[in-house]
Amino acid sequence: MISVKNLYKDFGKLRVLSGLSLDIKRGERVVLIGPSGSGKSTLLRCLNQMEEPTYGEVWLEDSLLTAPDPYLHFDIIRASRTYQKLVAKGMSDTDCIQKIKAEDLLKKHEGKAYHSMMKTLEKENRIDINLARQRMGMVFQHFNLFANMTVMQNLTLAPIKLKNKTPAEAEAKAMELLTRIGLADKRDVYPSTLSGGQKQRIAIVRALCMEPEVLLFDEPTSALDPEMVGEVLDVMKSLADEGMTMIVVTHEMGFAREVADRVLFMDEGQIVEEAPPAELFANPQNERTKSFLSKVL
Amino acid sequence: MDFLQKTIELFTTERYVESLFSGLWMTVVISVAAAVLGLILGSVVALVTIAPKSRAIVLPKALCKVYITIIRGTPMALQLFIMAYVIFAIRGFPPVVTAILAFGINSGAYVAENIRAGILSVDKGQTEAGRALGLTGATTMLRIVIPQAIKNVLPAIGNELIALIKETSIVSMIGMYDLTMAAQVIGGGNNMASYVVPMTAAALFYLAIVYLLTFCIKLIERRLRAGDQR
């Protein structure tokens, strides 16, 4: 459903993601763990383009979300003049591609033909990022409920604006979800009067009101008091039971063990190890995974 | 006793009252019109300066920067003189319009900086949450960021408007008859021959206007803070 190909993200000189690839299937629950600074959150934010990747591609089904990456499309490399010149010198196909990729020759030296090819690729596949974001909900560490709106306005703003729902329809849907998390009585209060756990549960509902196909959770419990973590995790578990596709960055190993189909351990901008939770927690293969798990478990 | 007599004289002589109130009227007209102009100009300039970088916006952005730098870097009186004696030195051009433009353009630069600061002070997470739902940048700005920014900038805008009202007193330097000028003329007249009373009266008028404005701003502020924790 989501596929990430050869993703790089640099912040200035700091490389946060280095050549990461990932495939997530519909209905899968993936948990990302790893030491801080390993790029978990950045990866999550690159999925819905809250951060623009430096290189690489992110696909949501058949739609390209990023600018197309020339190095992923060998036919583009092969059509380039640089490639032709190298072949004429007697270099083999794989060597040419290697050399062009390694020395970043395409972007610098190719002219109109290359640009028009990239344009076509972009036109055929890339979709408006706002449309894509409607399909991928996001839950933030700091909730980010709109402070100038009541809970109900928070929940209905986007559905009314973007899904052409009437206010009544949007409110009915929002009420149904609010009732489910037991906060129906909070519909007309402002977020500042809510506790952290309540805010986060409402933030989850806000994402759900857009009927997304996948939910991204960016450390949803890290800013909460310990006694409120449970209520948020319960909501997430019930979503998981319903078959929602979820990608979760978290430090809650218990949640990962219980809910995840697959746990990815990230370090230094790469996925170091991935396995079902039972396997990864019980029998980690990689040294870095072992040392990380020994510290947190 | 002299003071009391002069006060009575000031408010009973038709000529004095008329000239005091025509001065007051001029001050109010210039202040209000300049404030409206300044707020509109300031909002536009602020939005341009914070707009995301793109090729189309580079030139307007540079112009706004130059505008803010020049206006904030030169004295108001000088700007007024340039407006009156250089740019609008046309015979018969109404001086009120000159003054309104001068003060409006001056105020716009300060308002722009205030609004820019207000928009930047809204938590980045608010924008991110809006964009993550699929809302466009413009909708997010309009529905989420700006309402919160207005609340944040209101005190600063109030300050700016107060400063503007008092600053209009320098229009007398280009020969216009505002409240300050009225007080000066009355005080210097043959009969009154005392500045104390008309100056005090003018000061009280200014104070009243500013107090009224402060009161209005407080009212709006209280309204907007409905969503905050008490």
Side-chain angles (χ1 to χ4, degrees):
Chain A
M1 176 176 193
I2 294 181
S3 55
V4 174
K5 293 177 184 167
N6 194 32
L7 199 69
Y8 283 83
K9 174 67 186 174
D10 296 341
F11 288 112
K13 280 187 176 165
L14 183 71
R15 176 149 290 178
V16 182
L17 296 177
S18 47
L20 188 149
S21 296
L22 174 66
D23 266 297
I24 288 158
K25 292 191 271 301
R26 192 173 282 276
E28 201 175 18
R29 274 125 7 208
V30 176
V31 171
L32 292 167
I33 60 170
S36 58
S38 59
K40 311 177 296 274
S41 286
T42 307
L43 170 60
L44 201 70
R45 292 164 59 82
C46 280
L47 294 184
N48 69 350
Q49 303 296 301
M50 300 306 292
E51 301 288 353
E52 203 178 324
T54 313
Y55 286 109
E57 294 183 348
V58 176
W59 293 76
L60 177 63
E61 293 191 317
D62 295 330
S63 323
L64 181 60
L65 306 187
T66 46
D69 177 356
Y71 305 117
L72 281 177
H73 304 279
F74 290 165
D75 45 338
I76 288 182
I77 296 186
R78 287 197 185 97
S80 72
R81 272 179 292 154
T82 319
Y83 175 88
Q84 245 108 70
K85 264 183 223 160
L86 290 176
V87 170
K89 279 184 199 161
M91 204 180 263
S92 79
D93 178 70
T94 29
D95 287 348
C96 283
I97 289 173
Q98 287 286 327
K99 186 176 164 64
I100 289 174
K101 276 174 95 168
E103 295 181 17
D104 207 6
L105 291 171
L106 268 188
K107 289 197 170 170
K108 281 176 201 149
H109 302 304
E110 290 301 321
K112 269 187 187 155
Y114 159 74
H115 285 291
S116 76
M117 265 187 155
M118 294 297 280
K119 279 249 168 68
T120 336
L121 186 73
E122 196 161 336
K123 216 187 253 168
E124 279 170 3
N125 299 303
R126 199 172 179 186
I127 63 162
D128 179 8
I129 187 60
N130 290 322
L131 287 176
R133 283 176 181 157
Q134 292 179 30
R135 297 165 58 190
M136 20 187 14
M138 188 168 203
V139 176
F140 298 87
Q141 182 177 0
H142 296 287
F143 333 125
N144 297 346
L145 291 177
F146 305 136
N148 57 324
M149 297 181 186
T150 62
V151 168
M152 188 47 86
Q153 288 167 334
N154 262 283
L155 301 183
T156 55
L157 173 69
I160 292 172
K161 272 262 165 201
L162 303 172
K163 295 217 136 188
N164 293 324
K165 286 193 175 181
T166 64
E169 281 170 352
E171 279 190 29
K173 169 91 183 160
M175 265 327 268
E176 180 199 320
L177 289 165
L178 273 182
T179 315
R180 221 184 85 181
I181 59 165
L183 290 176
D185 57 322
K186 299 287 185 195
R187 55 169 289 169
D188 292 320
V189 306
Y190 283 92
S192 56
T193 60
L194 299 169
S195 75
Q198 291 171 333
K199 279 184 199 168
Q200 193 60 297
R201 283 186 286 157
I202 286 168
I204 294 173
V205 167
R206 177 173 66 181
L208 287 176
C209 278
M210 288 299 288
E211 291 155 355
E213 295 163 39
V214 52
L215 271 184
L216 313 175
F217 291 87
D218 188 3
E219 306 201 20
T221 56
S222 299
L224 295 176
D225 290 340
E227 78 264 27
M228 291 168 181
V229 171
E231 60 189 68
V232 171
L233 290 183
D234 286 342
V235 174
M236 290 168 64
K237 278 175 201 161
S238 77
L239 283 175
D241 291 339
E242 284 164 26
M244 171 66 78
T245 314
M246 295 163 75
I247 306 169
V248 186
V249 171
T250 189
H251 296 291
E252 295 290 328
M253 297 302 153
F255 175 82
R257 200 185 301 232
E258 196 176 331
V259 173
D261 294 319
R262 184 151 58 116
V263 178
L264 309 181
F265 174 75
M266 279 184 73
D267 195 20
E268 289 171 2
Q270 277 169 329
I271 295 171
V272 175
E273 190 168 351
E274 59 172 291
E279 218 171 286
L280 189 109
F281 287 121
N283 189 16
Q285 301 297 313
N286 191 289
E287 278 309 316
R288 278 182 285 175
T289 321
K290 277 181 199 165
S291 80
F292 174 76
L293 288 176
S294 72
K295 278 178 213 151
V296 297
L297 286 180
Chain B
M1 260 7 256
D2 194 36
F3 183 80
L4 195 63
Q5 261 172 20
K6 295 262 183 198
T7 310
I8 293 165
E9 191 189 339
L10 177 67
F11 284 102
T12 48
T13 316
E14 198 184 330
R15 188 160 51 92
Y16 292 155
V17 174
E18 213 168 75
S19 101
L20 204 56
F21 277 88
S22 77
L24 176 66
W25 176 241
M26 178 65 78
T27 295
V28 170
V29 167
I30 295 174
S31 305
V32 171
V36 171
L37 178 63
L39 287 176
I40 294 170
L41 195 62
S43 312
V44 173
V45 171
L47 286 178
V48 172
T49 42
I50 58 151
K53 269 181 201 139
S54 72
R55 210 172 286 172
I57 204 104
V58 170
L59 188 65
K61 246 185 189 171
L63 284 177
C64 287
K65 230 172 215 171
V66 170
Y67 159 68
I68 291 175
T69 312
I70 290 179
I71 295 295
R72 295 204 308 171
T74 54
M76 178 67 235
L78 192 65
Q79 290 166 23
L80 187 65
F81 286 151
I82 291 173
M83 276 287 191
Y85 302 139
V86 181
I87 298 173
F88 294 117
I90 309 160
R91 190 178 293 274
F93 193 85
V96 189
V97 179
T98 310
I100 289 171
L101 283 174
F103 285 104
I105 289 171
N106 178 269
S107 171
Y110 291 93
V111 170
E113 283 298 275
N114 285 338
I115 292 182
R116 190 178 68 90
I119 288 174
L120 293 181
S121 75
V122 176
D123 181 18
K124 221 175 121 217
Q126 298 281 317
T127 318
E128 280 186 357
R131 295 309 306 275
L133 284 168
L135 296 169
T136 60
T139 311
T140 310
M141 199 39 125
L142 216 62
R143 299 292 300 272
I144 297 158
V145 177
I146 288 182
Q148 295 183 47
I150 287 176
K151 196 171 63 181
N152 291 348
V153 298
L154 213 59
I157 297 279
N159 251 348
E160 172 50 30
L161 293 183
I162 288 170
L164 170 68
I165 290 170
K166 293 182 297 181
E167 216 159 40
T168 56
S169 61
I170 63 171
V171 289
S172 54
M173 294 170 88
I174 58 166
M176 289 178 67
Y177 203 86
D178 76 322
L179 190 53
T180 309
M181 186 67 150
Q184 208 176 328
V185 168
I186 294 169
N190 291 332
N191 294 334
M192 182 67 77
S194 155
Y195 287 111
V196 179
V197 174
M199 290 289 170
T200 314
L204 288 176
F205 278 139
Y206 277 113
L207 196 62
I209 302 174
V210 169
Y211 189 79
L212 194 73
L213 179 69
T214 320
F215 182 76
C216 291
I217 287 169
K218 269 226 174 93
L219 223 63
I220 302 171
E221 217 176 315
R222 198 174 315 153
R223 247 259 162 106
L224 290 177
R225 294 217 177 265
D228 289 5
Q229 61 270 61
R230 289 133 265 249

